[in-house]
Amino acid sequence: MASFFSDFGLMWYLEELNKKEFMKFKEFLKQEILQLGLKQVSWTEVKKASREDLASLLLKHYEEKQAWDMTFNFFQKINRKDLIKRAKREIDGNPKLYRAHLKTKLTHDSSRIFNINIQDFLKEEFTKDDHDRFETLLQSKGTESKPQVVVLSGVAGIGKTLMLKRLMLAWIEGLVFPHKFSYIFYFCCQEVKQLKTASLAELISREWPDPSAPIEEILSEPEKLLFIIDSLEGIECDLLKYDSELCDNCMEKQPVNILLSSLLRRKMLLEASLLISTTPETFEKLEDRIEYTHVKIITGLNESDIKICFHRLFQDRNRAQEAFSLVRENEQMLTVCQVPVLCWMVATCLKTEIEKGRNLVSTCRRTTSLYTTYIFNLFIPQSAHSPSKKSQDQLQGLCSLAAEGMWTDTFVFTEAALRRNGILDSDIPTLLDIGMLGKMGKFESCYIFLHPSLQEACAAIFYLLKSHVDHPIQEVKSVEALLFTFLKKAKVQWILGGRFVFGLLHESEQKKLEAFFGHQLSQEIKHQLYQCLETISVNEELQEQIDGMKLFYCLFEMEDEDFLMQAMNCMDQISFVAKDYSDVIVAAYCLKHCYTLKKLSFSTQNILNEEHEHSCMENLLTCWHHICSVLINSKDIQELQIKDTNLNEPAFSVLYNSLKYCNGTLKVLEENNVFFLCEKYLFFELIQNCSLQHLNLNLTFLSHSDVKLLCDVLNQAECNIEKLEVAACNLSPDDCKMFASILISSKTLKQLNLSSNILGKGISSLCKSLCHPDCILEHLVLAKCSLSDQCWDYLSDGIRQNKTLSHLDISSNDLKDEGLKVLCRALALPNSVLKSLCLRHCLITTSGCQDLAEVLRNNQNLTSLHISYNKIEDAGVKLLCDAIKQPNCHLEDLGLEACELTGACCEDLASTFTQCRTLWGINLLNNTLDYTGLVVLCEALRQQKCTPHVLGLRITDFDNETQAFLVAEQEKNPDLSILSGV
């Protein structure tokens, strides 16, 4: 009993009582003291005591067993039997037993999967900052206590797993979450993947100290459970699975990816909390499919940490400083060193090179040169000048294994995989000893590379040694396929692979490879890569998919100016995001050689607005000059998009002076979420001097004076702007008056997007301008503008009198059925010119469909109607379908996403497709349609031969039978397209 109280604390149970229950507890304590004549405790003390103070008083004045018996008795009286049950389990010792086992496991079993002392290279002490960071990580916002789903996002090896293990150790010691979680279970996706199938109960049992885990007890309070899912990128989770395909039974065996998806999608143990770690690329891919409560970005080591790490590894202080200084001067190397294990690798490599008396400058030339130096050093003994035949074969086998892993998304390898790639069983101890491979946790016969980037480097070497056709498995594709996959980020876990292939083509790397493997390498690969770039140059769709930053780093690693110029001038359009100083340097290196761009899109985030040392800032501005020079050098640049960027005054000045050179060619300028630390008039002066046709300032803050400057530009006779977008720019109702005057005076403005601004009654002045005969506006977007009930009469007048407006979007406003009725009076007039109407999220119900049906029956011009995310229901669809069948209706597409429809509406939709010759598309996403209804609908579409039709459906939302039917239907009906994004 004593150990129970000292380890877990009576306070934890008192904390579970609400204010009323806690006061009752004190009253019962007072009665108990008086009735039994127990040792007196001052009632004044008890009355004022907090939960923590009261626990201390009980333990101070009574024996622990007596204090506990009293507590049980009081819990019974206030009807908190759940606390009694939980406390008895605590006394039985299962949580304590588990914590002791977990502590042993964390401190011994898995701390050294590699035969290297990386742990000694990093700090391990638990600080107050660690405590605060961990506590806030899983803290509910406000007073509501609800399960947390927290994502830790950071590049591979940045220290996420180390942080998670430190968190678990802190929990074991009672330093964090002392009464929040009874159990924390850690699942590494790379390990779980090896199991193929399992139940959640089996995964929990694997973590238990003996074979008979108390599963029923553990799962009885799911709100007291925290599941840590580490390295989510290591497994392919089917997060798009239809709910019915997921699992809610903790005892049911499932493929492990379905099992983890069921946890992540909250189908299983909804009350439990989740802590997920993954890479930024995987999170970007999955963030829309996980209902997370918080994201924590893990940034790794800072410059000071890196310096400390170097000094820990080097015995000689001067040599440590020499090595660190070289890294400090190389921004790419400094970025690599933010990852703890790679910082250790870099420091180890440079230490070895110093000991061999070699030139560190050539080693640090590029990232590729550092990696190849490190790898070759591992296979060449310090006393030798060249590798043995056995070492050559071992590295060649590793490179083949790495290529297999890259293409099959495998990072944990079985002994069978090693053998398949030419690695002998007798080679494994050597590869473990030198640290190229490590044993993976519980799986004694499974192995991983020191870091995924080291695996990527070995995979790149494979392509310099052999053709993909020589690989033992067919999944390994050609170097051309590798490049396209890398540049398009089709495999988000590939971080450096493409860079390494280019880097290995540098003359010095070729010499190193030839010296190690003892034969000359084919130069064909360089020609193949150039052919890939030529393919990109003639394919506009492919160019749009290319990540410019990935391409820049490939060319930077290669360091071949002739190839760089050829490559850059293959590109008509480039899009890139520079996230740090290193990215800016690399982008500048490439873009200063670019002369053929027609479209440039970029973001530099806050890099050009941060505080830097003077020399660093000078270098940064030089690089910015080189980036902006593309606007001068490319004589036919037509589109420029700058997004999520903050520019200080010197940086804006560089951009301003560069843009002046392309004022005759630039037609489209998009500045989204951009902040200039300069005089705003300069920016608007720049716009005035350009012959723009499309100006997009969405998400960029505009003050009232900014709007005035903008409207002054729009008022100029020489202004050619036809399309203006100022969504989410913090516009006010007063700003509407200035835009209203532009609608009358402008001879070119045809499209205006004012969405996501609080305009309210300001809309009246806009609507008056719509009524003016000089207004030529064709396209107006007022979505999410906080429009009030009074607005609909103004808008109705505008629709009635305007003769040019063909598209109106008032989505995400509280239109309701009453407001819709007002608008429909104007829309139902035979002379209404509106062709497209968007009313998503407008609180419309079945009743409102009567008015919409009247519009459809009378308005021959309306061809597009989108009313998604309204409570239309099957009855509303019937009203609309009856109207669409009328001869006056020429509707072409209808948006009904998330309208609370069932399979019962499909018969009405089917007959509508049969009778209406103009209707070609309906969006039915996020409705509860069924197999029977879809069979009826698709049968009707099959009868409409030679007429293309589009259905908005996500096939994976349905059960297996319906999925199979829809796939087969698409194959049978060449005129049918089923799209998940319409």
Side-chain angles (χ1 to χ4, degrees):
M1 183 71 69
S3 65
F4 169 73
F5 272 109
S6 58
D7 286 348
F8 297 96
L10 177 59
M11 178 193 73
W12 299 351
Y13 289 94
L14 296 181
E15 290 278 4
E16 295 289 323
L17 302 178
N18 62 36
K19 189 175 181 180
K20 188 176 179 182
E21 289 169 339
F22 187 49
M23 290 306 297
K24 281 186 178 180
F25 186 98
K26 289 181 177 181
E27 287 290 340
F28 288 131
L29 177 58
K30 179 182 179 183
Q31 293 169 20
E32 190 83 5
I33 292 166
L34 294 172
Q35 286 173 9
L36 301 181
L38 299 170
K39 189 188 298 182
Q40 289 300 302
V41 178
S42 164
W43 171 242
T44 306
E45 273 189 284
V46 171
K47 193 173 181 181
K48 291 180 178 179
S50 66
R51 288 160 172 78
E52 185 177 355
D53 295 338
L54 189 61
S56 299
L57 283 171
L58 286 170
L59 294 172
K60 178 181 175 183
H61 291 284
Y62 302 105
E63 293 292 326
E64 286 182 350
K65 186 176 186 312
Q66 186 182 18
W68 189 237
D69 288 342
M70 288 168 64
T71 301
F72 265 158
N73 184 23
F74 301 158
F75 282 171
Q76 184 82 27
K77 288 180 178 180
I78 60 176
N79 199 27
R80 288 305 303 266
K81 294 175 185 176
D82 59 314
L83 294 182
I84 299 172
K85 186 178 176 183
R86 190 193 310 168
K88 284 183 175 178
R89 284 204 305 269
E90 298 277 14
I91 294 169
D92 290 341
N94 277 334
K96 186 177 179 185
L97 175 71
Y98 174 70
R99 291 183 196 220
H101 166 71
L102 185 59
K103 183 174 182 178
T104 302
K105 178 183 167 187
L106 289 173
T107 52
H108 297 97
D109 296 348
S110 58
S111 60
R112 288 276 176 88
I113 62 172
F114 290 96
N115 296 337
I116 52 179
N117 293 333
I118 295 175
Q119 298 294 332
D120 301 336
F121 186 61
L122 304 164
K123 66 168 190 173
E124 290 191 23
E125 58 275 9
F126 187 81
T127 65
K128 185 181 184 304
D129 285 345
D130 291 327
H131 171 273
D132 295 343
R133 186 165 67 249
F134 291 156
E135 278 287 352
T136 55
L137 196 61
L138 288 155
Q139 205 169 57
S140 300
K141 292 182 179 177
T143 56
E144 187 183 0
S145 178
K146 66 174 186 176
Q148 297 292 291
V149 180
V150 178
V151 178
L152 298 182
S153 175
V155 300
I158 200 78
K160 300 186 295 293
T161 299
L162 192 63
M163 179 180 174
L164 292 171
K165 290 184 176 179
R166 285 162 65 79
L167 181 148
M168 287 188 281
L169 284 168
W171 169 73
I172 289 165
E173 300 297 336
L175 299 173
V176 292
F177 321 130
H179 53 276
K180 189 176 180 71
F181 300 117
S182 298
Y183 297 98
I184 295 180
F185 293 105
Y186 172 85
F187 304 143
C188 173
C189 290
Q190 292 173 337
E191 290 185 0
V192 170
K193 188 178 181 181
Q194 307 305 309
L195 298 174
K196 309 298 184 192
T197 61
S199 67
L200 183 62
E202 285 172 347
L203 290 187
I204 291 171
S205 296
R206 287 170 56 82
E207 303 301 314
W208 200 256
D210 58 57
S212 55
I215 297 297
E216 188 177 344
E217 175 208 310
I218 292 167
L219 299 179
S220 66
E221 287 188 295
E223 71 279 2
K224 288 286 186 179
L225 300 179
L226 171 64
F227 292 101
I228 294 178
I229 301 174
D230 193 12
S231 304
L232 186 61
E233 68 277 5
I235 196 165
E236 188 65 40
C237 288
D238 292 341
L239 293 181
L240 282 178
K241 281 280 183 184
Y242 190 51
D243 272 2
S244 62
E245 300 292 309
L246 299 174
C247 175
D248 60 2
N249 185 345
C250 298
M251 313 303 290
E252 190 177 312
K253 217 176 176 78
Q254 290 283 343
V256 289
N257 58 337
I258 300 292
L259 179 63
L260 291 181
S261 293
S262 302
L263 272 174
L264 294 169
R265 287 269 300 272
R266 315 307 279 140
K267 178 77 171 177
M268 183 185 288
L269 291 183
L270 177 64
E271 304 91 338
S273 291
L274 303 179
L275 183 52
I276 305 155
S277 90
T278 191
T279 59
E281 293 79 14
T282 300
F283 176 61
E284 186 180 332
K285 181 181 175 184
L286 299 178
E287 66 174 317
D288 292 336
R289 307 174 209 168
I290 300 175
E291 290 185 21
Y292 56 87
T293 52
H294 180 58
V295 180
K296 170 72 176 172
I297 307 298
I298 309 299
T299 53
L301 305 179
N302 59 32
E303 189 176 320
S304 175
D305 294 329
I306 295 167
K307 186 175 183 178
I308 291 168
C309 291
F310 268 67
H311 280 271
R312 279 184 182 160
L313 188 69
F314 283 78
Q315 301 299 318
D316 186 313
R317 182 179 179 83
N318 292 329
R319 285 185 167 182
Q321 189 56 43
E322 178 192 354
F324 174 73
S325 296
L326 268 174
V327 168
R328 176 64 191 86
E329 291 165 11
N330 186 321
E331 204 61 36
Q332 291 71 45
M333 210 64 67
L334 200 62
T335 301
V336 168
C337 285
Q338 290 174 357
V339 178
V341 67
L342 296 183
C343 184
W344 176 89
M345 184 189 84
V346 171
T348 301
C349 179
L350 296 181
K351 184 172 181 284
T352 304
E353 289 295 279
I354 287 174
E355 289 166 355
K356 289 187 174 185
R358 291 179 182 162
N359 180 8
L360 294 190
V361 175
S362 61
T363 304
C364 294
R365 182 188 57 80
R366 289 290 190 263
T367 306
T368 306
S369 55
L370 188 285
Y371 273 77
T372 53
T373 302
Y374 175 76
I375 291 168
F376 292 153
N377 280 346
L378 292 179
F379 288 92
I380 303 174
Q382 196 135 351
S383 55
H385 295 290
S386 59
S388 63
K389 176 69 169 64
K390 188 169 188 178
S391 291
Q392 290 173 337
D393 292 342
Q394 286 172 346
L395 181 53
Q396 192 157 305
L398 271 181
C399 293
S400 179
L401 178 73
E404 175 178 321
M406 295 297 293
W407 284 105
T408 59
D409 300 327
T410 303
F411 298 93
V412 180
F413 300 94
T414 62
E415 287 183 350
L418 269 64
R419 292 188 202 105
R420 180 168 58 246
N421 288 282
I423 299 171
L424 306 176
D425 290 353
S426 58
D427 294 332
I428 295 174
T430 303
L431 297 175
L432 291 172
D433 191 50
I434 63 176
M436 272 299 282
L437 292 181
K439 283 189 176 180
M440 188 64 200
K442 303 185 186 78
F443 301 94
E444 288 299 313
S445 58
C446 288
Y447 305 90
I448 61 172
F449 282 83
L450 176 66
H451 186 264
S453 63
L454 207 61
Q455 180 176 330
E456 289 186 84
C458 288
I461 293 173
F462 168 81
Y463 281 96
L464 272 290
L465 300 176
K466 290 189 172 185
S467 166
H468 68 286
V469 296
D470 301 322
H471 199 279
I473 68 165
Q474 290 184 342
E475 286 86 348
V476 173
K477 301 291 191 295
S478 66
V479 71
E480 294 95 335
L482 181 144
L483 179 61
F484 286 132
T485 303
F486 180 74
L487 293 180
K488 293 195 294 182
K489 295 173 75 172
K491 284 185 177 285
V492 294
Q493 61 272 37
W494 290 12
I495 309 301
L496 300 172
R499 292 195 213 177
F500 287 136
V501 172
F502 277 79
L504 290 169
L505 295 175
H506 188 273
E507 185 181 358
S508 64
E509 299 308 309
Q510 293 275 294
K511 286 178 180 176
K512 281 191 327 198
L513 285 166
E514 289 171 0
F516 186 92
F517 289 104
H519 59 81
Q520 203 164 13
L521 302 174
S522 167
Q523 298 301 305
E524 176 62 21
I525 195 167
K526 191 170 185 178
H527 177 65
Q528 290 171 324
L529 293 179
Y530 183 69
Q531 283 187 318
C532 289
L533 294 173
E534 284 196 318
T535 301
I536 293 170
S537 73
V538 296
N539 188 326
E540 189 174 329
E541 187 179 340
L542 188 56
Q543 283 193 48
E544 288 177 358
Q545 298 172 42
I546 298 299
D547 183 307
M549 212 62 240
K550 294 267 190 191
L551 176 61
F552 296 158
Y553 269 105
C554 287
L555 298 169
F556 183 79
E557 285 293 322
M558 191 177 189
E559 208 176 351
D560 180 330
E561 192 165 307
D562 289 340
F563 190 92
L564 168 64
M565 291 182 71
Q566 285 181 305
M568 288 310 298
N569 291 300
C570 281
M571 306 299 289
D572 286 337
Q573 56 180 296
I574 288 177
S575 175
F576 71 94
V577 177
K579 296 179 180 177
D580 54 35
Y581 185 20
S582 172
D583 288 352
V584 172
I585 292 169
V586 173
Y589 172 84
C590 296
L591 284 171
K592 67 182 177 182
H593 295 288
C594 188
Y595 296 88
T596 59
L597 273 195
K598 292 181 179 177
K599 180 179 179 182
L600 175 64
S601 173
F602 69 86
S603 165
T604 58
Q605 299 186 348
N606 201 42
I607 306 164
L608 289 156
N609 197 35
E610 292 173 346
E611 290 293 325
H612 297 279
E613 295 175 10
H614 180 70
S615 58
C616 179
M617 194 65 222
E618 280 191 336
N619 190 33
L620 193 58
L621 277 175
T622 300
C623 292
W624 179 236
H625 267 285
H626 291 320
I627 290 172
C628 292
S629 70
V630 73
L631 300 172
I632 301 170
N633 297 335
S634 296
K635 303 303 181 187
D636 193 25
I637 193 150
Q638 296 169 14
E639 291 186 46
L640 174 63
Q641 182 184 48
I642 308 172
K643 52 188 176 181
D644 304 321
T645 293
N646 294 334
L647 298 179
N648 60 21
E649 194 165 357
F652 175 76
S653 178
V654 172
L655 176 66
Y656 176 85
N657 289 320
S658 301
L659 271 172
K660 284 197 294 189
Y661 285 90
C662 58
N663 57 15
T665 60
L666 196 65
K667 302 300 178 190
V668 179
L669 177 60
E670 299 186 29
E671 306 225 349
N672 307 136
N673 193 26
V674 175
F675 175 74
F676 300 130
L677 194 66
C678 65
E679 294 291 341
K680 282 288 186 73
Y681 79 88
L682 288 172
F683 171 68
F684 292 106
E685 182 183 286
L686 191 63
I687 294 173
Q688 186 171 324
N689 293 334
C690 293
S691 54
L692 294 178
Q693 293 175 353
H694 177 189
L695 177 61
N696 179 339
L697 299 176
N698 293 343
L699 298 166
T700 296
F701 178 87
L702 296 177
S703 66
H704 190 65
S705 57
D706 294 335
V707 173
K708 187 177 185 311
L709 288 168
L710 172 61
C711 289
D712 286 344
V713 172
L714 294 168
N715 255 325
Q716 299 297 317
E718 60 271 23
C719 178
N720 296 313
I721 293 175
E722 297 176 6
K723 182 176 182 180
L724 175 64
E725 297 182 71
V726 281
C729 289
N730 199 47
L731 303 181
S732 69
D734 287 342
D735 295 325
C736 289
K737 293 175 184 176
M738 285 186 276
F739 285 114
S741 70
I742 297 300
L743 292 184
I744 298 171
S745 63
S746 174
K747 304 303 178 188
T748 57
L749 189 63
K750 295 180 180 178
Q751 299 186 43
L752 177 62
N753 182 346
L754 295 166
S755 60
S756 299
N757 291 293
I758 301 175
L759 302 182
K761 294 179 181 177
I763 201 75
S764 62
S765 55
L766 285 172
C767 293
K768 286 175 184 174
S769 293
L770 285 177
C771 300
H772 197 282
D774 289 342
C775 176
I776 61 168
L777 198 69
E778 297 175 0
H779 189 114
L780 178 60
V781 180
L782 296 169
K784 203 176 179 181
C785 283
S786 301
L787 303 186
S788 58
D789 292 344
Q790 298 96 316
C791 298
W792 312 127
D793 285 315
Y794 297 130
L795 198 52
S796 180
D797 286 342
I799 292 169
R800 185 179 288 108
Q801 296 186 51
N802 186 280
K803 300 306 176 189
T804 59
L805 192 67
S806 60
H807 173 83
L808 176 64
D809 184 351
I810 52 172
S811 300
S812 300
N813 287 293
D814 293 349
L815 176 63
K816 303 178 186 174
D817 294 335
E818 296 79 8
L820 180 62
K821 186 181 285 291
V822 174
L823 290 185
C824 286
R825 291 191 196 115
L827 290 167
L829 295 173
N831 61 348
S832 171
V833 296
L834 203 70
K835 294 180 180 178
S836 173
L837 178 63
C838 292
L839 304 172
R840 301 181 185 93
H841 290 284
C842 280
L843 305 179
I844 300 168
T845 70
T846 302
S847 176
C849 291
Q850 295 177 348
D851 296 298
L852 284 172
E854 188 66 22
V855 172
L856 292 168
R857 274 191 289 268
N858 292 285
N859 188 332
Q860 296 187 42
N861 291 316
L862 193 67
T863 58
S864 177
L865 176 62
H866 289 262
I867 51 173
S868 298
Y869 294 93
N870 289 293
K871 196 175 181 179
I872 302 302
E873 301 180 306
D874 297 339
V877 168
K878 180 170 178 54
L879 290 168
L880 296 175
C881 286
D882 289 345
I884 295 169
K885 294 173 195 174
Q886 299 302 311
N888 274 347
C889 182
H890 297 152
L891 198 70
E892 296 176 6
D893 74 291
L894 176 62
L896 294 170
E897 181 175 355
C899 284
E900 302 187 24
L901 311 182
T902 72
C905 74
C906 290
E907 197 165 325
D908 289 310
L909 292 172
S911 66
T912 303
F913 269 122
T914 305
Q915 295 181 48
C916 179
R917 297 303 176 188
T918 58
L919 188 66
W920 56 260
I922 297 184
N923 181 359
L924 295 168
L925 285 161
N926 297 316
N927 289 293
T928 54
L929 307 183
D930 56 23
Y931 176 83
T932 307
L934 289 170
V935 168
V936 172
L937 182 56
C938 289
E939 174 62 33
L941 293 174
R942 213 181 306 134
Q943 292 173 14
Q944 310 299 305
K945 292 180 180 177
C946 302
T947 306
H949 289 103
V950 175
L951 284 183
L953 295 170
R954 189 179 293 109
I955 293 177
T956 53
D957 280 354
F958 298 96
D959 58 34
N960 290 336
E961 181 187 21
T962 310
Q963 287 187 41
F965 166 74
L966 291 171
V967 170
E969 197 63 27
Q970 277 196 109
E971 292 173 359
K972 283 192 290 187
N973 185 352
D975 296 319
L976 174 62
S977 298
I978 297 177
L979 305 177
S980 60
V982 290

